Amino acid sequence: MKKIEAIIRTFKLEEVKDALSEIGVQGMTVSEVRGFGRQKGHKEQYRGAEYTVDFLPKAKMEIVVGDDQAQKVIETILQSARTGQIGDGKIFVTSLDQMIRIRTGETGDEAL
Amino acid sequence: MSRPQSLCLIVFFLLGLAALPANRNELAAQERRADLETISVEAASVAPEAKELTVGEEFNAADTMWVLISTAFVLLMTAPGLALFYGGLVRKKNILSVMMQCMFLMGLMSLVWFLWGYSLAFDTDILNGYVGGFGKAGLMGVLPYWDAETSTPMLPLEGSIPEIVFMMFQMMFFIITPALICGAFAERMKFSAMCMFAVLWGTFVYCPLCHWVWSANGWLSPEGAYHAFDFAGGTVVHVSSGVSALICAMMIGKRLGHGQEPMPPHNLTYTTIGTALLWFGWFGFNAGSALGVNPLAANAFVATHICAATGLVTWAGIEWVTRGKPSILGGCSGAVAGLVCITPACGFVTPLEGIWLGFIAASACYFACTSLKSKFKYDDALDAFGIHGVGGAVGALLTGVFATRRVTGDANGSGLLEGNMHQFANQTISVVAAVAIAVIGTVILLKFVDLVIGLRVTHEEELKGLDLTQHGEEGYIFL
């Protein structure tokens, strides 16, 4: 099993979700996060006082899939979340040791 | 004695004072009867025994209605206007503290004005034109009284409106002026210290200054030695509060982390709504100061609007040119700067001059808020000095430049542009006098309050925010 975390632009969220649903992804968790990479932040001015805002709002998706489906999911996110501009985000893939469905107690791929 | 107990005692004392003058009121009022030239009007024929409350023969219903409406307009400026304007500019942990300061002053200053403030400001003076007496304390001789001769209830007049209406209109100025100062010490002053300071400042700074400029006998009034033009409070309201705000900011010190951590406004939406409400209320503030439905009110109304409009466009325009983007906060600041600047002038200049005033005021206040503040490194949190102090002083001085006989209807009622050097000198004197009493008064009063209860909250309280530590509440419980 793989856990795929994708940091993407907030306005791309719906598009990525739809694309993932189409390839059969059953569930995902989304949170509003703030952070920066190479894009860095922006400057704001209030009555002449300048503030640098480093942390920009992004959406973080967490998706857990079987090993065979992971590559397809990554490609789908790459296609649907890309604008080509700096600040499109990143994808992190990790191996998952265990996964349990709380309602039934099922584990591993059965719990997906 | 604990703090709550002392507060209770003070409240009972105030209520007792309020109850006292009831009888004295009638006696004093009867003495004034000859001056007031009151007449009685026959009551409705259906109830010949009952007599309606009557007023003097100069009474004018339209004037009274306009001043009553204006009074409500001006109250709206303090809350929600100023409360939202300032509330949006602070960090979210302090929004309630700012709103509470505005709200509480609506109550506190009203009582002070009722009990002794109005008397100190508008009673005949006790110190050669420098301060009023206590003849009208508790509104003695101002409230309705019973005329024994004609067996009629009577109501004293001020010009063509009942004096209680005039008193009430002036009360709104007394409320908003200390509320303006709150912008300087926002996010760090103890609420109790703020209350004590506001009462003392109103008594020892505002009332004397108001007496100088607006009472019948003040030394800066039309009858005084140095008649200063101040239509709706350039020196009385804005210079005094703005300069006092600067002193407060300097004496209380900077907010914790000022200069090191970002302190941007937390909700400019509120600030924009607040500005719009201030602008709305300002029509009552300025046009209401004509104390009647007359050409002066019409002129003041239009001049007020044009000056605010010019101020808005100017400030946003400067930002657009120098920084690439016009900001909403800049637009709001410019509008308020324009409103402040036209306040002393609106009964002496035409709307055309209002354009010049708005342009100059917004430029000067922009400079004060961006360059002056960072150069001298004081933490005037919400720019109370930068906008009200500077805008008020610029407005008072420019009144002496642009005042025109076309509006005043008086050959001597003109400014520098019409060759009247004398008036400009008087305007300068009035600004210097207002600055002097504001500086000296505020320094002494702050020292006193600091000695008695302390000015500033503890470091821990300041970090937690004043909403929780001063009021036990949060502004955004569901966020």
Side-chain angles (χ1 to χ4, degrees):
Chain A
M1 288 174 297
K2 299 285 186 206
K3 181 180 176 193
I4 298 163
E5 279 178 86
I7 313 283
I8 61 169
R9 294 182 191 273
T10 49
F11 76 88
K12 280 285 185 182
L13 185 60
E14 283 298 307
E15 206 177 320
V16 176
K17 186 202 77 182
D18 291 345
L20 287 173
S21 297
E22 264 175 39
I23 61 162
V25 172
Q26 306 261 344
M28 63 190 73
T29 307
V30 175
S31 29
E32 290 175 16
V33 293
R34 297 194 309 151
F36 65 89
R38 284 190 215 163
Q39 184 189 10
K40 283 287 188 271
H42 61 251
K43 296 226 185 314
E44 293 176 8
Q45 283 193 349
Y46 300 98
R47 278 191 190 143
E50 200 165 80
Y51 299 96
T52 305
V53 178
D54 288 325
F55 298 103
L56 299 175
K58 298 281 173 188
K60 183 171 86 171
M61 309 181 85
E62 291 169 88
I63 306 141
V64 176
V65 291
D67 291 336
D68 52 333
Q69 213 188 354
Q71 194 52 37
K72 182 83 178 150
V73 167
I74 292 164
E75 278 165 20
T76 306
I77 296 175
L78 278 177
Q79 278 169 17
S80 54
R82 178 179 290 151
T83 68
Q85 303 294 311
I86 195 164
D88 272 352
K90 285 204 171 58
I91 301 175
F92 308 105
V93 184
T94 46
S95 293
L96 207 62
D97 289 342
Q98 186 56 289
M99 168 175 181
I100 306 123
R101 176 173 281 125
I102 294 174
R103 175 169 56 86
T104 58
E106 293 163 290
T107 57
D109 283 348
E110 283 179 13
L112 273 173
Chain B
M1 193 183 292
S2 70
R3 197 189 302 168
Q5 279 174 323
S6 331
L7 280 177
C8 280
L9 266 183
I10 292 170
V11 170
F12 281 128
F13 174 71
L14 293 179
L15 290 176
L17 265 184
L20 263 180
N23 286 327
R24 283 187 290 145
N25 211 359
E26 267 180 35
L27 290 174
Q30 281 174 19
E31 286 168 14
R32 297 181 61 214
R33 196 176 52 217
D35 304 332
L36 292 167
E37 296 181 346
T38 48
I39 60 160
S40 64
V41 175
E42 279 299 324
S45 55
V46 285
E49 293 304 314
K51 299 267 177 86
E52 285 178 2
L53 187 64
T54 53
V55 289
E57 59 189 355
E58 300 296 326
F59 174 76
N60 182 299
D63 289 350
T64 305
M65 184 181 80
W66 171 235
V67 180
L68 279 171
I69 292 173
S70 294
T71 304
F73 273 36
V74 184
L75 186 68
L76 182 100
M77 290 172 72
T78 304
L82 194 67
L84 282 170
F85 182 77
Y86 278 173
L89 289 175
V90 295
R91 289 167 291 175
K92 65 180 171 191
K93 62 184 177 183
N94 293 318
I95 179 170
L96 292 186
S97 73
V98 170
M99 292 193 148
M100 179 61 171
Q101 286 171 354
C102 293
M103 207 65 206
F104 197 76
L105 287 176
M106 283 164 75
L108 186 65
M109 301 314 278
S110 297
L111 288 175
V112 173
W113 190 247
F114 183 96
L115 293 173
W116 64 82
Y118 178 68
S119 189
L120 286 182
F122 288 101
D123 191 23
T124 44
D125 49 65
I126 49 175
L127 280 176
N128 275 336
Y130 287 97
V131 66
F134 286 97
K136 293 185 179 182
L139 301 190
M140 235 186 302
V142 180
L143 298 174
Y145 66 95
W146 183 260
D147 183 17
E149 248 175 49
T150 56
S151 295
T152 317
M154 305 293 287
L155 189 58
L157 284 186
E158 170 72 34
S160 62
I161 62 175
E163 192 172 350
I164 45 169
V165 176
F166 174 74
M167 178 282 298
M168 191 73 178
F169 182 64
Q170 288 292 337
M171 180 194 280
M172 300 308 149
F173 289 62
F174 190 63
I175 290 170
I176 197 170
T177 310
L180 293 171
I181 304 176
C182 296
F185 52 65
E187 305 197 294
R188 56 203 192 278
M189 193 172 189
K190 276 185 189 174
F191 183 67
S192 54
M194 189 285 300
C195 294
M196 192 178 198
F197 173 71
V199 171
L200 294 172
W201 188 88
T203 307
F204 294 106
V205 177
Y206 185 91
C207 287
L209 183 57
C210 180
H211 186 79
W212 297 353
V213 181
W214 285 338
S215 80
N217 318 292
W219 66 280
L220 294 168
S221 76
E223 306 300 321
Y226 302 94
H227 176 201
F229 289 168
D230 186 2
F231 195 69
T235 45
V236 177
V237 174
H238 297 291
V239 174
S240 68
S241 63
V243 171
S244 299
L246 178 65
I247 301 295
C248 287
M250 289 179 359
M251 285 182 67
I252 292 175
K254 295 176 184 175
R255 287 167 289 177
L256 280 183
H258 181 256
Q260 281 108 47
E261 64 175 271
M263 295 180 182
H266 91 284
N267 194 337
L268 286 182
T269 321
Y270 288 163
T271 302
T272 310
I273 299 170
T275 307
L277 289 166
L278 280 171
W279 194 330
F280 178 89
W282 227 293
F283 289 126
F285 199 87
N286 286 3
S289 291
L291 297 179
V293 179
N294 51 40
L296 214 49
N299 185 79
F301 202 111
V302 180
T304 299
H305 184 70
I306 295 297
C307 191
T310 314
L312 189 160
V313 173
T314 303
W315 191 308
I318 294 175
E319 286 182 333
W320 212 339
V321 171
T322 58
R323 298 172 194 270
K325 291 185 180 115
S327 75
I328 180 82
L329 178 57
C332 291
S333 308
V336 176
L339 289 163
V340 168
C341 184
I342 196 68
T343 296
C346 57
F348 303 99
V349 305
T350 73
L352 183 68
E353 281 85 33
I355 290 184
W356 285 106
L357 265 76
F359 177 74
I360 298 170
S363 309
C365 294
Y366 177 84
F367 169 75
C369 293
T370 54
S371 309
L372 205 65
K373 190 165 82 160
S374 55
K375 188 168 182 211
F376 290 98
K377 300 191 187 311
Y378 53 87
D379 184 15
D380 177 6
L382 314 181
D383 292 314
F385 170 71
I387 292 182
H388 295 279
V390 173
V394 166
L397 294 176
L398 289 183
T399 305
V401 175
F402 289 108
T404 168
R405 56 181 78 104
R406 282 172 291 154
V407 175
T408 58
D410 175 2
N412 294 321
S414 52
L416 265 188
L417 288 184
E418 290 182 357
N420 188 358
M421 186 71 190
H422 181 66
Q423 190 55 47
F424 186 74
N426 280 4
Q427 295 304 112
T428 312
I429 291 168
S430 75
V431 171
V432 172
V435 170
I437 189 173
V439 170
I440 296 168
T442 306
V443 168
I444 294 173
L445 296 177
L446 280 182
K447 286 270 178 210
F448 175 74
V449 175
D450 195 18
L451 214 67
V452 179
I453 44 179
L455 291 174
R456 192 165 177 155
V457 296
T458 63
H459 280 195
E460 196 187 336
E461 288 171 330
E462 197 175 328
L463 290 173
K464 271 190 186 167
L466 303 193
D467 291 2
L468 264 179
T469 58
Q470 302 295 296
H471 309 291
E473 294 166 298
E474 281 186 87
Y476 300 95
I477 297 166
F478 302 109
L479 293 183

